[in-house]
Amino acid sequence: ARDRVTASKALVVTRALWSVPTGPVLAEAVEVSATIDHGTRYIAPVGEDVDAYQMFEFVGMAVMADQDNTVVTIDKDGAGPAAPVTVTLNRGESHYINGGVLKGAEVTATKPVQAHLLTGDIGAYYETRWYTLIPVGDWFNRYMSPVGSSTTGQPCHIFLYNHNATPITISAASRLGTESITVAPGATYRWTAPQNSGSMFSSAGGEPFSAIATVGAAPN
């Protein structure tokens, strides 16, 4: 951590990790986004309270500051009863929430930060997924996924999260047609992609929402 990378032309940076005892069969990676894309508010679209075949049995969160004296407040259960945690981070410093993150968990900061979710099935030897969160101000009203479910029983799930104060209607389009989905305020809806098909999601009223995917999500 704390490495600083600059370049005269565009580049892509990722970070991959795995545990020494289990090796790369239990490994994950996240996109290291440019600091210009960092923000001051993030919301977790999934958490340990989302029913998803134990894929999110554990959800942690890591937050890193871009600048000195950044005050970060992390509310790991969103509207739940747990008190938020407030920390002050300097440039390159991070704070880690070791589990207990629920959908709607929120990060707010006085200066730009980056945030990642680290999820997994407790006790599994192969099932972990990490996500680079997008600042709420950059959420959009349309998303596309190029991945469909496999023909060998490995579905692709798309999780649609609505942070708006009112329900929203989302159209899910695939090669099988278009399905209309209503997502309640503060709720996450799990949609299963058909086999051999990409999909597109758009809100009927142009409301911003969040969408993430789990690929190869075996139910056992």
Side-chain angles (χ1 to χ4, degrees):
R2 302 193 189 189
D3 292 341
R4 299 177 64 200
V5 180
T6 60
S8 59
K9 297 182 180 180
L11 52 80
V12 175
V13 180
T14 58
R15 167 107 178 175
L17 295 172
W18 58 81
S19 171
V20 173
T22 54
V25 293
L26 185 63
E28 259 304 334
V30 292
E31 174 190 2
V32 181
S33 56
T35 55
I36 195 173
D37 295 322
H38 294 176
T40 57
R41 185 186 180 208
Y42 296 85
I43 297 178
V46 296
E48 294 178 4
D49 54 341
V50 172
D51 180 20
Y53 308 134
Q54 297 181 304
M55 291 185 293
F56 304 132
E57 188 177 11
F58 172 88
V59 179
M61 177 183 288
V63 181
M64 177 179 282
D66 292 357
Q67 302 174 31
D68 291 342
N69 298 315
T70 300
V71 180
V72 181
T73 300
I74 304 170
D75 190 352
K76 71 176 184 179
D77 66 345
V85 173
T86 299
V87 295
T88 299
L89 303 176
N90 288 326
R91 183 176 64 188
E93 291 183 338
S94 62
H95 185 78
Y96 177 57
I97 300 296
N98 189 17
V101 174
L102 306 183
K103 71 175 183 294
E106 188 165 351
V107 176
T108 56
T110 57
K111 300 175 184 179
V113 296
Q114 60 177 326
H116 297 87
L117 287 185
L118 293 78
T119 78
D121 182 353
I122 296 175
Y125 289 94
Y126 61 90
E127 189 172 24
T128 181
R129 294 174 174 87
W130 298 355
Y131 297 94
T132 299
L133 294 180
I134 299 174
V136 174
D138 291 336
W139 286 10
F140 199 54
N141 60 8
R142 179 177 296 179
Y143 298 91
M144 298 184 70
S145 171
V147 181
S149 296
S150 75
T151 58
T152 58
Q154 299 284 337
C156 172
H157 296 300
I158 311 295
F159 294 84
L160 308 169
Y161 176 75
N162 174 22
H163 79 301
N164 299 280
T166 58
I168 63 173
T169 299
I170 297 176
S171 295
S174 70
R175 69 179 181 85
L176 299 183
T178 301
E179 179 182 352
S180 182
I181 300 167
T182 299
V183 185
T188 298
Y189 186 94
R190 185 181 73 196
W191 186 83
T192 303
Q195 294 180 358
N196 301 320
S197 174
S199 50
M200 183 176 71
F201 308 88
S202 57
S203 59
E207 304 94 340
F209 63 97
S210 177
I212 66 171
T214 58
V215 178
N220 49 359

